[in-house]
Amino acid sequence: PVVVFGVTLFVVGSLACALAQSLPVLLVCRFSQGCGAASTTLTFAIIRDLFEGENARAKMANVVIAINVVTVIAPTAGGALLALGSWRLIYATQFAMGLVLLIALGTGFAESAKIDQTNRLAPSIIGRSYLQVLTHPISFAYILVSAAAGGTVMAYVTGSSLFFINGMGLRPNQYGLIFSAC
């Protein structure tokens, strides 16, 4: 249900972005879209619910590879969509892809968690679990390394288009090709 809600929020946010008539409205809609997209991070929890050991690690590795490939392909796809139409086409495409994902979730997936009903979403248990992870020295080190790596990639993805398109004078489709070659 959480993933379905998140993908629904992503779909609605994508459509709202495509229809936005001002920058402030676009930013609010984009924030909504991003909050919905964040629900897909539950993929790892779903994998842990359904698989164990080496099989679970292999599935998680596949998801990480897919995320990295999409990160590399996205600027090229965005540049191609800009060459075909306006910036609204990017959000319309995200809307369509999100809708396909939402239909797939509705028709082919069921709840994977096996939760003890007596402890289900109890704030004290959630708080203790977060505190336990955050105070564990090895977990905290992994969190910092992952945050630094993710932040670096997102900073490059966010800033490189401004530099190459506005600073160097490349067209969006040229930028997409250069970004994918890196």
Side-chain angles (χ1 to χ4, degrees):
V2 174
V3 177
V4 170
F5 173 78
V7 173
T8 301
L9 186 59
F10 173 81
V11 167
V12 171
S14 298
L15 181 60
C17 285
L19 300 174
Q21 297 297 317
S22 68
L23 182 59
V25 171
L26 176 64
L27 293 175
V28 169
C29 296
R30 181 67 182 101
F31 180 77
S32 169
Q33 182 194 37
C35 289
S39 71
T40 60
T41 59
L42 290 175
T43 302
F44 295 108
I46 293 167
I47 290 171
R48 280 193 303 276
D49 289 343
L50 299 176
F51 303 97
E52 293 180 7
E54 189 63 36
N55 199 9
R57 285 189 290 278
K59 302 282 186 205
M60 287 184 190
N62 289 336
V63 169
V64 169
I65 289 169
I67 290 168
N68 289 327
V69 167
V70 167
T71 302
V72 170
I73 291 172
T76 302
L81 290 171
L82 280 176
L84 294 174
S86 74
W87 59 269
R88 295 178 190 279
L89 182 58
I90 294 172
Y91 293 110
T93 302
Q94 290 175 339
F95 166 76
M97 294 174 76
L99 202 55
V100 169
L101 179 58
L102 190 58
I103 291 167
L105 284 169
T107 59
F109 290 87
E111 176 62 60
S112 63
K114 294 151 188 80
I115 300 172
D116 177 11
Q117 293 298 322
T118 60
N119 295 328
R120 187 176 185 138
L121 298 180
S124 62
I125 292 174
I126 293 171
R128 270 191 304 237
S129 296
Y130 272 106
L131 185 62
Q132 184 179 9
V133 170
L134 290 173
T135 57
H136 191 279
I138 294 175
S139 292
F140 191 70
Y142 280 119
I143 290 168
L144 289 178
V145 169
S146 295
T152 302
V153 169
M154 289 302 128
Y156 178 75
V157 168
T158 302
S160 65
S161 64
L162 296 173
F163 173 75
F164 285 113
I165 294 171
N166 296 339
M168 301 299 291
L170 294 177
R171 291 188 311 275
N173 57 345
Q174 289 174 318
Y175 161 73
L177 292 174
I178 288 172
F179 185 87
S180 292
C182 294

